[in-house]
Amino acid sequence: MGATPDNSTLNFFYRNGIYYYDPSSTQCDPAPATSGGDLVSGSGSGLSNQQEQFVSDHVSIAQRLSVEYGIPWETVIAQGILESGAGTSRLAREKHNYFGIGAYDHCPFECALSYASELEGWQGYYENIRKTSTYRNHGVFQGNTITDPFAYLVAIKAAGYATDPNYIEKVSRIILMIQDLAVQNEWLSSEELAQQYPEMIANATANASGSNAVAVDLTSEVGACIYPSIDGLSDYDGSGFPYYNQFDSQWASIPWGGGTGACGNGFHVNTIGASGCGPSSFAMMATALTGKKITPDMTAKIAGEQGCHVTSGSDWKITQVLAKEYGLQYKDLAASGSGDAIQKITTALKDGWMIHTSGKGSSPFTSGGHYIGIRGITEDGKWLIADSNGTKGRENTLSKAFDPAAVVNAGMNVGNIKAIKK
């Protein structure tokens, strides 16, 4: 076990073999970390561009796993930045191992575990913490270690997670910068996640007792969106408003991205099921507007080839690119605030336009970010939407009408409001 951290940097105290973090400390103002890339950054978070990209690429999956296991996501990503050089290490590139799991000083690569996918590599970390009784015995999954990233870090270090005596200080510096980036991007903190998803505490309690939490299958839930309900049915028989489910087996596993577009030369190529809410919601509206069956696999192919896919889902230009492809009118309705957004969208709907927009928050959006369509307006002024999110999406699309303020305040990005019309 390493030496007690210097209190001039962080305020900890040591008792009974465990480091304890004092969250009331005002002495936490560490210098930027130097691992994982240079320190050039345009956001002011203190992270390098490489590090910021790493956080953006993995925040959604880390948050979902944190809810499922009861572990603060900020710490996990900070550890990934430090231990994988923000995804640039050989272990990360060749084995999807971002945390050195299974590696030893005398056997740093060959002995390290290899994971079949990026997703499995992240889940491997959480499983390692859950299955190792030493972590439970040092207070992980209990009290503020569930939501306080610093308390969790101190607990796992005390349990022997890392041999570096300065590990707490190094990771803590990165956590602070991740917290700054989270505020800038309006990502939910671990504490806010626990408030919004009470199962986070319940899952932690189960893990603390040594019980096995419900197995987590995220094969269809990686990417920009965190989906609460998944099935494989689409409703469209040539009449009424078409419903396309991005998880439909007809196209769920088809790559979304690649081709000659932005994702083609990148590390990630997702699937329509994983992060294709943008092309799927557009497909519903395009089918309704043109009278032709335009499905998510068609829109994803076109959008991907023209660079509309990004690591976290869909680039904002997707609407304009697809509107041009299918001969639809297009205009940008970016708003200055919620009231302006409601007025612009309502006016456009009454004039026969449909809206393509995104948001991050509660239904009809998701905590990871989600694209929807707003396809019409009722006589009493409520909005009808197009939501590709499984059974919940079908209900939202075919059985509900939404108060405009409820949709906007659920997390709509009012800067990304695009209108299409025949």
Side-chain angles (χ1 to χ4, degrees), residues 33-316:
T34 57
S35 63
D38 60 78
L39 291 174
V40 178
S41 173
S43 75
S45 69
L47 295 168
S48 71
N49 290 333
Q50 176 71 34
Q51 292 168 334
E52 284 197 2
Q53 188 62 53
F54 185 85
V55 178
S56 297
D57 289 349
H58 300 105
V59 62
S60 180
I61 187 61
Q63 285 183 326
R64 178 58 191 267
L65 285 166
S66 291
V67 170
E68 296 293 347
Y69 286 85
I71 291 174
W73 67 267
E74 298 93 337
T75 310
V76 182
I77 293 186
Q79 290 178 277
I81 287 176
L82 181 66
E83 296 176 26
S84 74
T88 63
S89 70
R90 184 185 175 195
L91 276 181
R93 291 182 286 106
E94 298 183 19
K95 289 192 171 185
H96 300 299
N97 188 332
Y98 301 90
F99 305 94
I101 297 175
Y104 297 93
D105 290 342
H106 67 278
C107 186
F109 183 80
E110 288 76 9
C111 296
L113 296 183
S114 180
Y115 297 95
S117 67
E118 182 183 36
L119 169 64
E120 290 184 14
W122 281 83
Q123 193 165 4
Y125 171 91
Y126 289 83
E127 279 292 297
N128 179 52
I129 298 297
R130 181 177 70 82
K131 291 179 177 179
T132 305
S133 61
T134 305
Y135 296 124
R136 296 197 300 272
N137 295 338
H138 281 80
V140 175
F141 305 120
Q142 298 178 38
N144 64 345
T145 66
I146 303 170
T147 57
D148 185 328
F150 299 101
Y152 169 79
L153 172 63
V154 171
I156 61 170
K157 178 64 177 74
Y161 182 89
T163 58
D164 182 353
N166 298 315
Y167 189 77
I168 290 177
E169 294 175 86
K170 291 177 180 178
V171 176
S172 294
R173 292 181 182 121
I174 303 173
I175 290 172
L176 288 169
M177 291 183 281
I178 289 173
Q179 290 177 323
D180 287 342
L181 190 64
V183 171
Q184 294 173 28
N185 288 278
E186 299 182 349
W187 295 328
L188 295 178
S189 67
S190 291
E191 184 175 1
E192 291 168 333
L193 279 178
Q195 294 171 354
Q196 185 164 329
Y197 300 98
E199 60 267 31
M200 182 172 177
I201 303 299
N203 290 336
T205 301
N207 288 331
S209 67
S211 303
N212 290 333
V214 177
V216 184
D217 179 7
L218 298 178
T219 54
S220 295
E221 298 181 298
V222 68
C225 310
I226 296 179
Y227 299 105
S229 57
I230 302 173
D231 57 38
L233 300 175
S234 293
D235 295 326
Y236 183 61
D237 59 5
S239 62
F241 187 80
Y243 177 69
Y244 294 137
N245 182 348
Q246 68 191 84
F247 305 107
D248 192 308
S249 60
Q250 297 177 76
W251 45 70
S253 61
I254 293 175
W256 158 223
T260 59
C263 190
N265 297 320
F267 182 75
H268 302 273
V269 177
N270 279 330
T271 63
I272 294 174
S275 61
C277 44
S280 297
S281 53
F282 186 95
M284 287 187 251
M285 296 187 292
T287 297
L289 289 169
T290 65
K292 301 176 182 178
K293 190 171 184 179
I294 299 170
T295 52
D297 54 327
M298 298 165 63
T299 53
K301 181 178 185 298
I302 293 167
E305 288 175 346
Q306 298 192 44
C308 298
H309 177 279
V310 294
T311 302
S312 59
S314 301
D315 189 284
W316 284 8

